[in-house]
Amino acid sequence: MMAFLIGAYDEDTVGGEARTVLHLDHRLAPYQIAVLPLSKKDTLEPLAREVLGMLRSEFACDYDATQSIGRRYRRQDEIGTPWCVTVDFDSLEDHAVTVRDRDTTEQIRVSMDSLLQELRNRAKAPS
């Protein structure tokens, strides 16, 4: 395991800000997905918990509603979580969430109906 940790550890810069990243394969990461409501407001909590419940049946998931979204992304990067799913105020209207990739920091908007399949596809894709 130590060899995997040493091989996966990296430090880089994103948007002029340094970050520590653990590029673990999703099968070795402690969590495959983190569900992050954009705000602790009561309006987002039920939808974020619904997303968490939907994903927990197939993936090891974390749920984090503390601090700013940027700090939560960085914290997930540090522990090697490959994908973060962010529930924001637009999610209440359009029933879509944002999926962020740890390695590329790329974010895409995905409907909640296709979220599970999108994450399954990402998990099947070669690393």
Side-chain angles (χ1 to χ4, degrees):
M1 187 63 180
M2 187 61 151
F4 285 115
L5 289 173
I6 290 170
Y9 181 84
D10 191 21
E11 293 178 355
D12 65 6
T13 304
V14 174
E17 190 176 314
R19 75 174 182 145
T20 301
V21 183
L22 200 56
H23 294 283
L24 287 172
D25 183 277
H26 72 275
R27 294 167 293 187
L28 297 176
Y31 299 109
Q32 284 80 43
I33 299 167
V35 176
L36 312 173
L38 189 63
S39 165
K40 283 198 255 186
K41 296 199 178 203
D42 293 338
T43 54
L44 294 179
E45 187 86 15
L47 186 58
R49 293 283 180 186
E50 181 182 330
V51 170
L52 178 65
M54 176 176 57
L55 299 175
R56 259 198 180 141
S57 64
E58 293 189 36
F59 297 96
C61 298
D62 186 24
Y63 183 89
D64 188 357
T66 62
Q67 297 183 328
S68 72
I69 192 70
R71 287 186 183 197
R72 288 184 275 161
Y73 283 151
R74 296 294 183 259
R75 192 165 44 238
Q76 295 300 325
D77 292 346
E78 288 175 1
I79 65 169
T81 307
W83 305 290
C84 291
V85 175
T86 306
V87 177
D88 57 31
F89 293 102
D90 290 338
S91 301
L92 298 171
E93 301 295 322
D94 64 7
H95 289 48
V97 294
T98 302
V99 176
R100 177 186 178 269
D101 184 272
R102 172 200 63 210
D103 296 334
T104 65
T105 68
E106 183 179 277
Q107 299 182 26
I108 62 165
R109 198 87 176 141
V110 177
S111 75
M112 287 179 52
D113 293 336
S114 61
L115 177 62
L116 193 54
Q117 189 58 49
E118 170 70 23
L119 293 167
R120 284 177 186 146
N121 292 342
R122 287 174 181 247
K124 288 180 189 174
S127 302

